[in-house]
Each structure stands twice: as structure tokens, then as C-alpha cells.
Amino acid sequence: MPFLQPLGHLILSFFEIVGRLSIFASKAVSHCFRPPFYPRLILKQMIEVGYYSLPVVGLTAIFTGMVLALQSYTGFARFSAESAIPNVVIVSITRELGPVLAGLMVAGRVGAAMAAEIGTMRVTEQIDALYTLATNPFKYLIAPRVIAGVLTLPVLVLVADTIGVFGGYLVSIHKLGFNPATYLKNTIDFMEYLDVVSGLVKAAAFGFIITLMGCYHGFNSKGGAQGVGSATTNAVVSASILILTFNYIITELFFSR
Amino acid sequence: MTDQHDVTQKSIRIKIRGLTKAFGKKVVLNGLDLDVHEGESLVVIGGSGTGKSVLLKCVLGLLKPDSGSIQINGQEIVGLNGNTMENVRRKFGMLFQYAALFDSLTIWENVAFGLMQAHGMPKDEAYKIAIEKLSQVGLGERFATKNPAELSSGMKKRVGLARAIATSPDTLFFDEPTTGLDPVMGDVIDRLIVQSVQELGATGLTITHDMDSAKRISDRIAMLYDGKIAWVGPTADIETTDNPYVHQFINGLLEGPIKISLTNSDRAAV
Ligand SMILES: Nc1ncnc2c1ncn2[C@@H]1O[C@H](COP(=O)(O)OP(=O)(O)OP(=O)(O)O)[C@@H](O)[C@H]1O
Ligand SMILES: [Mg+2]
């Protein structure tokens, strides 16, 4: 059966990648908890990941909140259930759309940049130079990025949640004729502690995924500019797929009972 | 030979035995033996793709050999892990082929990197030493706050050299220090290398395929061919040796025992 052979290769190489990635991830995590720490580098990365992503994430969030209100109105008006719009907006934003959209945007922005930067350092022997200067690149390059990702993404998602809900509010008040006070009151009534927390847990997980993928693909890139280019692509694609996968898994863990 | 004569006088800084490294089917180093003595400057010459860089990377612990032994001052370094290897590397200085300066840092931060990161020196003290080392390689203080991208490749090499000597290492490695530079700048770098090695009293291991440069900076020369050291001897002997490999290489002859394979599969089959 000749077709089984490529299939076997595929499965083997899949496990090889999973294995490599696990080793890389456990090394990265263990260096996050062992000195020396580089607080200034962590801060720098937090600004890079968080502050500079604010415009992108903010814009994505506000339009998502707005379109959410508009679309649910079209559907709900048929059943005279317009009053459920604040509920729909707050639940979908905090549970799913806030973390996932912020995650995907940051994966495109930050994951790509990290893969390109570290990949360039790899192919220009700067990573070898770090080793020869008795500095562990896992501590100096990777740990600060991973820590920054895990700490910053939840904050970013909180901001995205707020802006997203505000987008829904804007459309509901100015276009759909809701009463501002009632809309806000309903939003707050419907806001569940668990929804927000699950969103923040997702955000931390996504922060880990994005930075890990950026670092992994950059760190293992080879072969000059082309290698760095494919490392960048792979970092974004793999981070996006993993974000959507883990989004489902975390949702399942939190809400399936 | 001369080798044994030297061993009795000086202790061995780097002792390589049976070093083997292959990438897939392609055997690059094949049971290589080499000694670098305390305080000498040894240059390894050899054609492109013969594995000079691989040899250096094995000694620096950047590549893991398939088999064989590498001892630094009597300490086996093959298989050493993170922290222990870091301690060995604290006494190393390395100049990379394209300098490999950190482009997110300024020139002085590059030079001071080892001092601040690996030796925990405070910033202002490290700055002073960085400026001093920069002036040793002929770069004034006005370069200190520039970025690596603003420098020519000759200047980058000098900064790379300043970074390599900044921590006053006892062993210095140079990967093709003059390749890609004009002859004058190559000469300048060679002089700086000789001068720095002497000032530090360090041991030097250089790889190059530039014969003029090799003669200028070496006490002894070793020739790498087919994964092994084909010849090693004092620099003065290289012109007169009857070793056919050396003869062909230094005269750039097409005829001789060195086979230039044009395809990769040829080498893999060797
Ligand atoms: N990481 C690697 N993966 C696969 N093959 C490699 C790797 N590093 C080196 N090689 C192969 O090993 C051989 C020796 O490479 P090396 O860089 O040591 O040559 P070199 O003697 O330094 O040549 P040059 O003078 O051109 O720098 C080359 O044929 C190269 O293809
Ligand atoms: Mg080389």
C-alpha cells in the first residue's frame, strides 16, 4: 500500500514537531522562573506587546462591538427581543470575541515581529554571539518575551472588552434608539464574573502561544533572509491556529457542564 | 615532529581528540586531532566548506560533536550543560565572521555586553572599559552611541574585536577575521589581533583561508582537509614543507591531492 508511506511520514513528522516544541516550551518556561531575570527587558517587551498593540486591538474591538449590536438587532427584532442586545454584546465580547480577536491581531503584529527579530539574530550569528558572551538566549531573549506576553495580553483584552462593549453601546444608542441608562444597567446586570475571568485566562494562554511561536520559529530559522521570511509566516499561522484550538478547549473547560 | 617538541615545553590549552561531526550523511569532521598550546596563536587553514567553522563551533560548544573529546585546560567540555559551559565561556572571546554585533544595542553596549551580563559589572564602570577597548581598536568615543547599522564592515569587525577582548579572556577565537575586507583593513585587523593576543597573554585559535593573514598572525598553522588535520607545523615551515596538500593549497594549484568536488553528493559519498 504505497499511500500509507507518506501518511506515516506525515504522522512521524507531526510527532517530531510536537516533541521539539514541547522541549522548547518547557525550557522557555523553566527559564522564566530561574535567575538571572531581566526586568528592563520584560518591561520593554510589555510596552512592545501591550502599548503598541492598543490602536490595532482598540479599532478591532470597537467595530466588532458595533457590528455585533447591529446584527443582533436584525435578528432579534423579528422576535421583538431587542432588549437582549446588551446581553448578547457583553457575553460574546467578554467570552469569545475580545480574547480571540485581540489574540489574532497581536499574533499578526507581535508574533511576526518576534520571529523576524530573533530569526535575524539567528542567521547573523547574534545568538551564537550571546552564547559566547556567556549569556543564555533563553533567559535573555525568550523568557522576557514570554513573560511579557502572558502578563500583557489579559490587560489588553480587558481594554478590548471595554471598548467592544462601548462600540455596541454607541450603535444601540445612536442607531437603534436604546435608552442609554437602561442599556448600561442591562449590560452591568448581564455581566458575569466567570465570563470575564474565562476571557482573561484565554488571554494569558494566547499571550503564551503567540510569544512562544514567535520565539520558536525565529530561534530555529535557518538559511538567510528566506528562512527568516518563512519563520515569520510560520509563527503567525501556527499561533493563529493554536489560538483558535485552545480557545475551544478553554471554553469547553469553563462552560461545559 | 615539532608537535612533540612543543608539548614538552608548554601545557595544552585546547586538546581535541577524535572529533567527529556529521550533518545527515555528510561527514564534515572525521576523527580530528589538534592541540593548541598555552599562549600560542594557532591558525587553521583549509578550503571553503571543509568544516573550519564547524570545528570552531564545536570548541565553543555551539554545536554538539557526534563523538570525540575536547578539553579546555584539561576540562572535558563535550556534553557540558548550561551553567558549567557558561563558566568555561566566561574565559572566551570570539570574533565572528560578520562581527555579529547586537543591532538592538549601541556600540558601547555591545562592547560592554559581556562585562555587564556575564560578569555583573555596573554600567558606568563597564562604559569606561568599553571606551578604553574601543580606543584600543582605533575607534573614538564618538562612535560609542552609534548603532551597528551605521558602521562599515571593517569598523564592525573592530567593534567585534573590542567586544571579544573586553572581558580580558584567556582564549580568543577568530572566524575569518579578514575575509571580505580590503587588504589594508585586513592588515589593520591582523595587527590588532596580534596586539590584543599579546597584551592579554591569551591563546588564539583562528580559522581563515587567507594565507597572508594566516602568516601574519600565527605561531603555528594547521591545515584542515577531509575532516582531519592534514598538516600542522610552525608558520615558517609552511613554505618549505613537502606536504602535498599544503603545497597545493598555498600555491592555489588545481593539480594535487585536494579534490574539489562540484556536487554535494560527491562529498557525501567520501
Ligand atoms: N548547521 C548545519 N547544517 C547542515 N550542514 C552544515 C551546517 N553547518 C555546516 N554545514 C556543512 O558543513 C560543511 C562545512 O561547513 P563550514 O561552515 O564549517 O565550512 P568552512 O570551512 O567554515 O567554509 P568557509 O571557509 O566557506 O566558511 C559545509 O559543507 C556545510 O554545508
Ligand atoms: Mg566558515
Side-chain angles (χ1 to χ4, degrees):
Chain A
M1 299 214 185
F3 64 89
L4 282 180
Q5 203 174 351
L7 190 71
H9 279 303
L10 209 68
I11 293 175
L12 280 183
S13 65
F14 173 76
F15 280 115
E16 189 190 325
I17 291 169
V18 172
R20 277 171 196 277
L21 200 59
S22 316
I23 293 171
F24 188 87
S26 60
K27 256 171 113 176
V29 171
S30 80
H31 282 290
C32 289
F33 294 102
R34 278 186 289 158
F37 301 108
Y38 295 97
R40 289 186 56 216
L41 293 180
I42 298 176
L43 196 68
K44 190 175 160 222
Q45 291 301 326
M46 288 177 81
I47 292 169
E48 196 62 46
V49 176
Y51 184 72
Y52 290 118
S53 298
L54 276 175
V56 187
V57 170
L59 279 175
T60 319
I62 196 156
F63 284 116
T64 307
M66 285 163 71
V67 84
L68 201 59
L70 209 55
Q71 286 286 24
S72 353
Y73 183 79
T74 327
F76 289 170
R78 270 186 246 157
F79 313 104
S80 318
E82 298 94 330
S83 60
I85 290 179
N87 184 6
V88 171
V89 171
I90 184 92
V91 170
S92 23
I93 293 273
T94 52
R95 279 193 184 188
E96 298 292 335
L97 295 171
V100 170
L101 290 175
L104 292 177
M105 296 318 279
V106 175
R109 222 188 71 72
V110 175
M114 282 182 184
E117 189 183 351
I118 296 181
T120 306
M121 292 186 74
R122 165 62 80 192
V123 299
T124 56
E125 295 185 313
Q126 291 178 51
I127 293 193
D128 287 344
L130 272 180
Y131 277 117
T132 60
L133 290 163
T135 302
N136 190 330
F138 274 87
K139 285 204 166 68
Y140 185 79
L141 291 177
I142 295 173
R145 285 172 169 76
V146 172
I147 294 173
V150 172
L151 294 182
T152 315
L153 258 254
V155 180
L156 211 51
V157 165
L158 266 188
V159 175
D161 286 354
T162 315
I163 295 179
V165 169
F166 179 67
Y169 169 86
L170 280 184
V171 168
S172 306
I173 303 306
H174 293 293
K175 230 177 131 50
L176 310 176
F178 275 76
N179 174 303
T182 328
Y183 188 93
L184 280 184
K185 186 181 175 302
N186 282 346
T187 298
I188 290 165
D189 285 347
F190 284 126
M191 190 165 80
E192 291 276 351
Y193 180 68
L194 193 65
D195 292 348
V196 179
V197 168
S198 76
L200 298 186
V201 169
K202 283 178 179 179
F206 298 166
F208 181 71
I209 289 171
I210 293 164
T211 48
L212 190 76
M213 286 299 118
C215 293
Y216 174 80
H217 289 285
F219 200 77
N220 290 303
S221 63
K222 40 180 156 268
Q226 197 188 359
V228 176
S230 56
T232 311
T233 314
N234 290 340
V236 177
V237 172
S238 60
S240 306
I241 292 173
L242 284 174
I243 283 175
L244 295 173
T245 314
F246 276 85
N247 180 52
Y248 179 81
I249 295 174
I250 298 173
T251 303
E252 179 86 40
L253 289 177
F254 265 91
F255 298 108
S256 76
R257 47 190 102 107
Chain B
M1 273 175 35
T2 39
D3 223 343
Q4 260 145 11
H5 169 70
D6 276 333
V7 172
T8 52
Q9 292 188 337
K10 295 174 188 167
S11 55
I12 299 173
R13 171 65 54 83
I14 305 172
K15 182 175 176 178
I16 305 171
R17 288 292 176 272
L19 188 66
T20 303
K21 177 76 190 172
F23 295 100
K25 275 187 199 147
K26 180 169 180 175
V27 181
V28 178
L29 301 179
N30 189 7
L32 179 143
D33 300 334
L34 184 65
D35 290 333
V36 185
H37 304 140
E38 193 85 47
E40 78 168 341
S41 169
L42 180 88
V43 173
V44 177
I45 55 170
S48 264
T50 46
K52 303 185 297 294
S53 296
V54 171
L55 169 65
L56 204 57
K57 284 186 177 161
C58 287
V59 177
L60 288 163
L62 300 172
L63 280 175
K64 199 173 171 295
D66 298 332
S67 65
S69 133
I70 301 171
Q71 289 180 5
I72 312 276
N73 286 333
Q75 183 186 11
E76 179 64 52
I77 61 149
V78 174
L80 276 194
N81 62 358
N83 283 342
T84 348
M85 192 64 217
E86 257 169 42
N87 285 332
V88 175
R89 289 201 193 104
R90 259 177 250 271
K91 301 214 180 77
F92 285 177
M94 163 82 183
L95 171 60
F96 285 86
Q97 183 162 354
Y98 301 101
L101 301 180
F102 304 125
D103 39 31
S104 59
L105 302 178
T106 60
I107 297 302
W108 84 263
E109 285 170 326
N110 264 283
V111 177
F113 192 92
L115 294 170
M116 297 201 308
Q117 300 299 341
H119 295 258
M121 187 180 281
K123 196 170 171 177
D124 37 347
E125 206 177 318
Y127 180 81
K128 274 196 208 111
I129 296 187
I131 297 300
E132 190 188 311
K133 299 290 173 181
L134 279 172
S135 79
Q136 268 186 37
V137 298
L139 295 173
E141 191 165 356
R142 67 194 176 87
F143 287 98
T145 50
K146 284 193 191 297
N147 284 318
E150 298 172 63
L151 302 188
S152 73
S153 59
M155 285 177 180
K156 280 186 197 160
K157 277 261 166 82
R158 292 202 221 178
V159 177
L161 182 59
R163 182 174 73 179
I165 60 175
T167 53
S168 305
D170 63 15
T171 314
L172 281 161
F173 300 89
F174 305 100
D175 187 350
E176 316 250 357
T178 55
T179 327
L181 300 180
D182 66 74
V184 178
M185 185 56 80
D187 198 22
V188 169
I189 297 282
D190 284 340
R191 276 169 212 272
L192 288 172
I193 287 176
V194 173
Q195 190 191 331
S196 334
V197 172
Q198 278 168 358
E199 262 167 34
L200 293 171
T203 307
L205 175 58
T206 308
I207 58 176
T208 187
H209 47 224
D210 176 350
M211 272 314 297
D212 295 331
S213 163
K215 284 183 215 158
R216 281 195 291 257
I217 58 183
S218 64
D219 300 322
R220 287 196 309 146
I221 294 183
M223 167 141 184
L224 179 64
Y225 177 70
D226 202 18
K228 292 193 179 71
I229 298 297
W231 182 82
V232 56
T235 306
D237 292 2
I238 195 152
E239 302 286 356
T240 53
T241 178
D242 52 8
N243 183 295
Y245 295 100
V246 176
H247 184 72
Q248 185 186 352
F249 186 79
I250 64 172
N251 295 306
L253 305 175
L254 278 176
E255 297 295 313
I258 302 176
K259 298 279 170 278
I260 316 276
S261 57
L262 296 175
T263 59
N264 274 332
S265 50
D266 284 1
R267 268 200 62 88
V270 170

